[in-house]
Amino acid sequence: MKLAAVIQPTRQDITKRFSAYCPDIPGCVAHAPTPEKALEALKICVIRHIDSRKELGLDSIKNHSQVQVLEV
């Protein structure tokens, strides 16, 4: 399954960190010191979310997001 992921820098005090989230799964957010680690943490979060939905007998996640680059 392919889902869109957004990675962005965040600041906590003077330390730069990164957050990653999946627009198709509200509340599924991960934080880490590097973009790569944030993406890996998000992947674990998404897998756990999908597994939980399966255990509860809920529908699977649908990919509704579209990613495009806006040129201005």
Side-chain angles (χ1 to χ4, degrees), residues 54-66:
K54 285 180 185 176
E55 288 177 14
L56 295 171
L58 299 173
D59 293 337
S60 62
I61 301 299
K62 303 289 186 223
N63 186 354
H64 296 289
S65 297
Q66 294 181 6

Side-chain angles (χ1 to χ4, degrees), residues 7 18-20 30-43:
I7 304 167
F18 295 85
S19 63
H31 304 277
T34 66
E36 297 80 14
K37 289 183 179 182
L39 190 59
E40 185 59 33
L42 178 64
K43 185 176 181 179

Side-chain angles (χ1 to χ4, degrees), residues 16-37:
K16 189 173 187 177
R17 294 181 54 86
F18 295 85
S19 63
Y21 67 94
C22 178
D24 291 318
I25 307 175
C28 194
V29 179
H31 304 277
T34 66
E36 297 80 14
K37 289 183 179 182

Side-chain angles (χ1 to χ4, degrees), residues 38-58:
L39 190 59
E40 185 59 33
L42 178 64
K43 185 176 181 179
I44 292 167
C45 181
V46 168
I47 290 169
R48 288 181 180 166
H49 184 86
I50 290 170
D51 289 346
S52 294
R53 290 183 68 87
K54 285 180 185 176
E55 288 177 14
L56 295 171
L58 299 173

